[in-house]
Amino acid sequence: MLRRELPPADVRRGWLIRLNAQGVAPSSDGQGVLERDVAWPPQALRLGFWHDEPVALSIEAGGEAWPPARDWLAQISPAESEVLATALQVSHWERDHRFCGRCGHPTQRLAHEFAMSCEQCGLRAYPRISPCIITLVTFGRDMLLARSPRFPPQRYSTLAGFIEPGEAVESAVRREVMEEVGVEVGRVSFFKSQSWPFPHSLMMGFFAEATSRRIRIDGHEIADAAWFTPENPPELPPSYSISRQLIDTHRRAVATR
Ligand SMILES: [Zn+2]
């Protein structure tokens, strides 16, 4: 697990994860993205501690064809995925907060936390995290799954959307389901959450029980939606996604009913 405490500023060696605009460098054994005991380049950004040794991120300019981050998330462990998700979000934050959003002055990174600070006006910019709900709507044993026009052909998934300013999480579940498929839901229960660093979402997973089966799709965000039995699902999202974990958890729970 990543220990979320920044190594001292004079530490210049330890684990390193290397990103460029295309993807993430494989470690020398090809098995993951974390390389052990290497000298950090001058621009390295400290992330924390991994197995009690300091870990940093290096953003590199080269155009080497490293595998995209999504491919890595499909094959590395959940613990290593957490480091990768952190590295991706810290890299976006560092890139996007070089100047103060309030007064335009150049910012500087603080040594002891993830904060870009403006000396001119005092504003601090922290890594942005965008909370989203993701929900599997059920009716008895059946699951409501939908496809977005952006999905690979045949792929269906759970419903998801951003939480709006001032909105409670449970209200966002009810609103998104109503907006996207026109279905009213009764009981809503929390499942678990997952960081989704594209670029900075925090997915909060819920089960939602529909009070009726009639579907009315919006035709924009959703290209099709339908009820599926646990025994005959369509093509589903990859197993590391919280969407798939919601679906698999429900299918296991109703398998003996
Ligand atoms: Zn400022």
Side-chain angles (χ1 to χ4, degrees):
M1 213 170 119
L2 178 67
R3 177 148 58 89
R4 295 182 176 274
E5 173 194 325
L6 291 184
D10 58 353
V11 173
R12 303 303 316 165
R13 191 177 186 91
W15 295 95
L16 187 66
I17 179 166
R18 295 155 68 211
L19 313 178
N20 67 12
Q22 282 75 40
V24 189
S27 55
S28 45
D29 65 4
Q31 299 300 301
V33 296
L34 282 155
E35 187 76 37
R36 193 176 187 180
D37 194 27
V38 287
W40 294 346
Q43 84 284 5
L45 298 168
R46 293 160 299 128
L47 296 177
F49 289 84
W50 174 246
H51 295 292
D52 286 329
E53 288 172 31
V55 57
L57 146 75
S58 167
I59 302 162
E60 306 195 353
E64 283 171 88
W66 292 334
R70 283 171 196 267
D71 291 6
W72 284 115
L73 292 178
Q75 48 184 290
I76 59 181
S77 72
E80 197 168 352
S81 293
E82 185 187 340
V83 187
L84 176 55
T86 303
L88 291 166
Q89 292 188 54
V90 166
S91 75
H92 292 141
W93 161 70
E94 203 267 347
R95 180 195 66 195
D96 294 347
H97 290 89
R98 293 185 184 169
F99 297 90
C100 177
R102 184 192 284 158
C103 77
H105 202 75
T107 55
Q108 285 188 313
R109 183 171 173 188
L110 297 186
H112 58 284
E113 61 177 344
F114 290 133
M116 299 293 273
S117 175
C118 174
E119 287 184 352
Q120 188 77 16
C121 76
L123 185 71
R124 287 185 181 179
Y126 300 94
R128 181 163 145 200
I129 299 169
S130 301
C132 300
I133 61 91
I134 183 159
T135 183
L136 176 64
V137 179
T138 60
F139 190 88
R141 302 175 79 249
D142 293 351
M143 311 178 289
L144 197 168
L145 300 173
R147 48 173 285 104
S148 144
R150 298 172 285 111
F151 284 2
Q154 315 304 323
R155 164 86 55 86
Y156 281 72
S157 186
T158 52
L159 302 175
F162 288 103
I163 298 169
E164 300 202 337
E167 186 174 44
V169 183
E170 308 85 303
S171 308
V173 173
R174 295 173 196 283
R175 177 183 53 76
E176 281 290 343
V177 174
M178 180 53 75
E179 280 178 11
E180 295 191 353
V181 293
V183 169
E184 201 159 310
V185 294
R187 190 166 69 163
V188 167
S189 52
F190 181 64
F191 172 53
K192 65 176 183 179
S193 61
Q194 181 182 55
S195 169
W196 191 249
F198 303 104
H200 37 58
S201 293
L202 172 63
M203 310 302 292
M204 289 185 264
F206 290 85
F207 294 102
E209 296 175 13
T211 56
S212 65
R213 294 178 65 97
R214 196 170 74 101
I215 294 173
R216 253 190 351 262
I217 60 168
D218 69 3
H220 304 291
E221 282 183 77
I222 299 293
D224 186 35
W227 292 100
F228 293 89
T229 64
E231 293 77 20
N232 286 302
E235 187 191 314
L236 297 173
S239 57
Y240 64 90
S241 65
I242 190 170
S243 175
R244 178 60 173 272
Q245 292 165 25
L246 278 160
I247 294 166
D248 287 350
T249 300
H250 174 75
R251 291 174 73 198
R252 275 195 301 274
V254 299
T256 53
R257 275 195 224 163

